[in-house]
Amino acid sequence: MEIKKGIAVSPGVAINQAVVLDAEDYRIPLRHVSPQRIKQEVRRLDQAVTRSRQDLAELRDRARRRLGSETAAIFDFHLALLDDRSLQNKIRKLIRSDSVTAEFAVADVLRGYAKEFLQMPEYLADRVKDVYDIEKRILRHLIGQSREDLARLEEEVVVLAHDLTPSQTANLDRRHVLGLATDAGGRTSHTAIVARALGIPAVVGLNDVTASVNAGDTVIIDGNRGVVIINPDEATIRQHRQYVERIAEFELSLDRLVNLPAITLDGHEVVLLGNIEFPHEAATVIAKGGQGIGLYRTEFLYLGREVEPTEEDHYQAYMQVIHEMQGRPLVIRTLDLGADKYTQERSPVPERNPFLGCRSIRFCFQNLQLFKTQLRAILRASLQGDLAIMFPLITSVMELRQSKMILRDVMEDLEEEGIEVRRDVPVGIMVEVPSAALMCNQLAEEVDFFSIGTNDLIQYTLAVDRANERVAPLFTPAHPAVLRLIKEVIRAGQRHDLGVSLCGEMAGQPEYTLLLIGMGLRTLSVAPPAIPEVKQLVRSMTMEHARRVARTVMAFDNDKQIVSYLRDQSRQVMPEAY
Amino acid sequence: MWQGLNTHEVKVTVTNEHGLHARPVTEFVQLANRFQSKVEVVKGDLTVDGKSVAAMLTLGAGPGTVLRIRARGTDAAQAVKKLVALISSSFAQG
């Protein structure tokens, strides 16, 4: 039995056999195979090459249709490199002469070429990227079988990985994947957000858990306490089974709340909305009793794919959500990419400080065509449902004006083309940078609503990278400075009669519900599985109590004191949750 | 060095702007692979397989480089002619 401590990011407990995925950067260990297996390794290599060839031919054809032959030529080059006989022979020879696995031989030979290219003149040094790309593609087919099979598992498992890509999480088979644990990540990492959205227990930031677990080991993932137990003994398993049952009972009791309003004991109504990332989650929001969608993240359309999404791709995704919502409100946040592969690949030089770099609305301003494509699709959908547009990472009035001007341009373009749009579509901003929170009275004059994005607001206020395990404990919504900024924004909203909601992770953490309601918020947007629990809290509290809590908290000077006070007060309201 | 009736060899200068980078090399290798003959490309004392993209790239043949295109086999003459034409046309056909 081995116990690993990480960060609990999605509640629940899973006890199952493990499936282990390899790190994306494929550190391939040198592994020898018995002479009898050499033939099989060569056959695996051939299969992987054949599959890679199919991928590439498909990519090339698609690129040619959508992006022209210039771009398609890149894939022609990849195909030629893949089919290079001398290269393939080298790999085969290495498998036979050194009795190594196909993956080791591929990595060794291709990295050898990469090294050689690096010493060439500049225009060739660039080709190193292509060599790595080919290497990854072949390796993906060699190692990745388990990864691809994630979408069609036959038995219930827990998945352990270095990290998960958006497309991997999107393809997770929910019925069979009962828990997630990753080496990397923090509370607001992509894996965490998706796990919460899907209601799968998850622990991240475990550093080296994938190295300690073998496929088939029994693993307990405790998403409440942030613990992963590898090969637990009988007593531990029994203890956790009981724990799972207790949680299930509690959740069952929460599910009875779906059709009841989120209303305090003394009659104050709170609106609970869901945050979604994928269109299919819209149905979960409704199933969990959400009254609409307060944050639809649209980045998924861009990540995990080779070509930029078309206007039609956007439109179809939005229409799917609108259709699910049947007239309920939906807030679409425009592209919030940054500090990720997508934007970095488009950057002329790697950014030294991506979170302070060309991300989010700034990236959109510099990639106007891409921004306009999304706005066109949103506006085209604007007449079909109760839809609002939200701009992320606004730091100044000027940025807001620029965003709105671009929106108006797109509106006029559409109207000139004879396409009807909703002229008065509500426009709001994420308040997620201290400068915006401090300027909220001025910004309030020019928007229809605010949504407080606490994840970034905390990061920028406290100067903490939430994904950096070494400083992650400093990342807390309970810091008095963060709470003061939130308070300012709520007040500005009240003064200007604007809707204010809060859509950060904080909104879904029950210990903050009393405080946020007491501070004056009447709309919270949370991960869909968290809706019932927050609703239960709202239904168990009085506004008078909430206001008293908010007043008391503002008098504290540190987050530790605030958190322990809030836990204590929440426990009084809803003892069964703790 | 090999000798024989069906061996052909012609000198050619790389003229396109960026030399034999990924795209021209891809075209060259695709063309070379259409012939039965063995194709070799020589730059100074370096000889590489003309049907291998990876090998051809290691030539690092920038603009102005003089190469010798050599083919051996039944269609050697045709192969050299076409390959040399491709390089001298600066890969004009795109």
Side-chain angles (χ1 to χ4, degrees):
Chain A
M1 188 161 92
E2 191 178 347
I3 300 175
K4 297 248 168 204
K5 186 96 184 75
I7 307 167
V9 293
S10 181
V13 176
I15 310 170
N16 278 99
Q17 307 245 294
V19 167
V20 184
L21 303 182
D22 289 85
E24 179 61 25
D25 61 2
Y26 299 114
R27 262 176 319 237
I28 307 298
L30 171 59
R31 256 189 50 214
H32 290 281
V33 295
S34 61
Q36 300 96 291
R37 267 205 54 163
I38 287 178
K39 249 193 191 150
Q40 198 188 328
E41 289 300 310
V42 173
R43 203 161 46 230
R44 286 181 62 229
L45 171 72
D46 291 342
Q47 279 171 358
V49 168
T50 306
R51 290 209 192 106
S52 304
R53 188 182 299 120
Q54 287 162 357
D55 288 355
L56 283 169
E58 212 172 284
L59 283 170
R60 178 196 52 197
D61 295 345
R62 208 161 54 195
R64 184 166 294 147
R65 276 197 310 275
R66 295 201 197 170
L67 305 166
S69 57
E70 273 300 307
T71 319
I74 297 169
F75 294 113
D76 265 327
F77 172 61
H78 283 201
L79 272 167
L81 201 55
L82 181 74
D83 278 332
D84 195 313
R85 261 180 315 175
S86 62
L87 188 145
Q88 283 192 22
N89 286 339
K90 257 192 191 172
I91 300 174
R92 283 202 194 90
K93 224 163 105 189
L94 188 63
I95 295 176
R96 294 200 180 102
S97 64
D98 290 19
S99 308
V100 291
T101 57
E103 33 290 47
F104 181 80
V106 166
D108 194 67
V109 170
L110 281 167
R111 280 170 205 195
Y113 274 109
K115 223 181 249 166
E116 214 170 318
F117 286 175
L118 271 178
Q119 285 152 21
M120 308 293 281
E122 206 173 324
Y123 66 92
L124 274 178
D126 258 9
R127 299 278 70 82
V128 167
K129 274 200 304 204
D130 298 286
V131 176
Y132 283 136
D133 214 41
I134 294 275
E135 181 201 350
K136 268 196 183 162
R137 194 175 293 285
I138 305 176
L139 289 178
R140 204 143 55 212
H141 285 299
L142 277 173
I143 312 170
Q145 278 113 353
S146 59
R147 174 178 307 225
E148 276 166 30
D149 287 341
L150 266 191
R152 15 171 218 287
L153 292 162
E154 307 221 316
E155 49 185 18
E156 298 182 334
V157 294
V158 294
V159 173
L160 290 95
H162 175 70
D163 202 0
L164 292 169
T165 66
S167 45
Q168 283 172 338
T169 43
N171 289 328
L172 276 185
D173 172 353
R174 258 192 86 171
R175 278 172 311 150
H176 293 111
V177 177
L178 300 190
L180 292 175
T182 60
D183 295 338
R187 237 203 106 72
T188 44
S189 65
H190 180 84
T191 308
I193 290 170
V194 172
R196 270 195 298 279
L198 296 176
I200 298 173
V203 178
V204 304
L206 289 151
N207 290 325
D208 58 350
V209 72
T210 48
S212 323
V213 181
N214 291 312
D217 283 354
T218 297
V219 171
I220 298 177
I221 294 179
D222 183 343
N224 295 13
R225 285 178 275 211
V227 171
V228 170
I229 307 172
I230 302 150
N231 290 322
D233 55 36
E234 275 304 314
T236 311
I237 292 182
R238 212 174 319 118
Q239 189 195 337
H240 278 82
R241 288 245 157 85
Q242 285 165 3
Y243 188 34
V244 171
E245 276 165 32
R246 275 207 308 279
I247 294 172
E249 268 169 44
F250 178 60
E251 276 175 1
L252 205 66
S253 73
L254 288 179
D255 278 346
R256 294 190 204 108
L257 297 174
V258 167
N259 296 314
L260 298 174
I263 193 165
T264 62
L265 292 172
D266 45 359
H268 293 267
E269 203 180 336
V270 173
V271 177
L272 294 183
L273 307 172
N275 297 340
I276 67 166
E277 173 139 26
F278 309 111
H280 67 80
E281 288 174 87
T284 318
V285 172
I286 295 168
K288 290 285 174 186
Q291 291 158 268
I293 290 169
L295 171 63
Y296 176 14
R297 305 181 172 96
T298 52
E299 293 72 62
F300 173 66
L301 286 160
Y302 293 83
L303 302 171
R305 60 195 291 163
E306 307 275 345
V307 288
E308 206 171 282
T310 61
E311 182 183 325
E312 203 52 30
D313 293 334
H314 281 281
Y315 182 73
Q316 291 304 335
Y318 305 153
M319 284 311 293
Q320 192 186 335
V321 177
I322 287 173
H323 186 75
E324 286 288 349
M325 294 321 284
Q326 299 186 350
R328 294 177 184 89
L330 161 66
V331 180
I332 300 183
R333 179 179 70 188
T334 61
L335 190 56
D336 189 27
L337 285 173
D340 46 49
K341 203 169 144 259
Y342 192 90
T343 50
Q344 294 310 302
E345 272 177 1
R346 281 155 185 76
S347 156
V349 283
E351 292 184 294
R352 248 167 56 106
N353 216 334
F355 279 108
L356 305 181
C358 183
R359 59 170 295 211
S360 199
I361 197 78
R362 303 168 185 175
F363 180 76
C364 290
F365 288 163
Q366 293 187 20
N367 293 271
L368 216 47
Q369 214 39 56
L370 168 148
F371 190 33
K372 285 187 167 178
T373 300
Q374 176 174 37
L375 292 177
R376 278 179 68 96
I378 298 177
L379 286 171
R380 274 173 60 201
S382 65
L383 280 172
Q384 315 292 325
D386 182 0
L387 184 155
I389 299 179
M390 177 157 74
F391 297 119
L393 207 78
I394 296 292
T395 59
S396 69
V397 177
M398 294 312 289
E399 272 177 346
L400 170 60
R401 287 183 193 150
Q402 192 177 348
S403 308
K404 289 176 74 172
M405 200 178 73
I406 295 167
L407 183 69
R408 267 195 305 275
D409 278 355
V410 175
M411 253 181 212
E412 278 162 22
D413 288 350
L414 283 167
E415 281 173 345
E416 266 169 36
E417 292 166 34
I419 298 166
E420 225 186 317
V421 300
R422 188 176 157 197
R423 277 238 138 213
D424 60 346
V425 61
V427 174
I429 59 168
M430 295 278 290
V431 179
E432 53 186 340
V433 184
S435 61
L438 293 168
M439 292 296 286
C440 55
N441 280 306
Q442 286 72 20
L443 289 164
E445 306 268 358
E446 303 182 28
V447 293
D448 298 307
F449 64 93
F450 284 145
S451 185
I452 307 174
T454 45
N455 300 353
D456 274 337
L457 186 61
I458 297 166
Q459 145 163 289
Y460 290 128
T461 305
L462 304 183
V464 177
D465 175 1
R466 56 207 185 186
N468 179 342
E469 289 90 354
R470 293 163 68 193
V471 293
L474 298 175
F475 184 92
T476 169
H479 193 294
V482 174
L483 298 179
R484 276 175 175 70
L485 289 175
I486 294 174
K487 180 84 198 155
E488 276 307 303
V489 180
I490 297 172
R491 271 206 199 128
Q494 287 164 343
R495 235 175 264 138
H496 292 83
D497 201 23
L498 285 189
V500 180
S501 69
L502 191 142
C503 66
E505 300 301 323
M506 177 187 193
Q509 291 170 269
E511 61 261 43
Y512 294 111
T513 311
L514 260 174
L515 171 66
L516 294 175
I517 303 300
M519 285 168 85
L521 277 172
R522 291 297 172 268
T523 307
L524 299 177
S525 192
V526 307
I531 294 171
E533 196 173 4
V534 174
K535 188 190 272 187
Q536 170 75 321
L537 256 162
V538 170
R539 289 177 58 83
S540 314
M541 68 172 72
T542 62
M543 190 56 75
E544 193 224 314
H545 183 194
R547 289 198 178 118
R548 196 171 63 239
V549 167
R551 270 197 308 275
T552 312
V553 161
M554 285 304 177
F556 291 141
D557 65 2
N558 70 83
D559 60 289
K560 298 274 179 310
Q561 213 176 359
I562 291 174
V563 168
S564 92
Y565 172 74
L566 288 177
R567 291 221 167 113
D568 186 51
Q569 293 296 312
S570 307
R571 206 174 291 127
Q572 286 179 24
V573 171
M574 200 167 78
E576 63 272 35
Y578 295 91
Chain B
M1 289 280 180
W2 79 79
Q3 295 292 323
L5 270 179
N6 286 328
T7 298
H8 286 257
E9 188 178 302
V10 171
K11 262 191 198 173
V12 63
T13 305
V14 176
T15 51
N16 59 314
E17 199 187 337
H18 297 295
L20 293 190
H21 61 93
R23 197 171 165 185
V25 163
T26 305
E27 278 179 45
F28 183 93
V29 170
Q30 280 171 346
L31 181 60
N33 274 302
R34 279 188 218 139
F35 297 100
Q36 303 243 302
S37 300
K38 182 172 178 176
V39 176
E40 286 186 333
V41 179
V42 187
K43 176 189 153 190
D45 51 6
L46 188 65
T47 304
V48 300
D49 180 357
K51 293 185 175 186
S52 160
V53 177
M56 284 287 291
L57 280 175
T58 59
L59 277 178
T65 308
V66 178
L67 299 174
R68 282 180 291 154
I69 312 297
R70 185 193 291 158
R72 181 181 62 178
T74 49
D75 52 7
Q78 186 68 2
V80 170
K81 194 175 139 205
K82 290 272 183 175
L83 289 167
V84 167
L86 181 68
I87 293 181
S88 354
S89 76
S90 300
F91 300 84
Q93 67 270 47

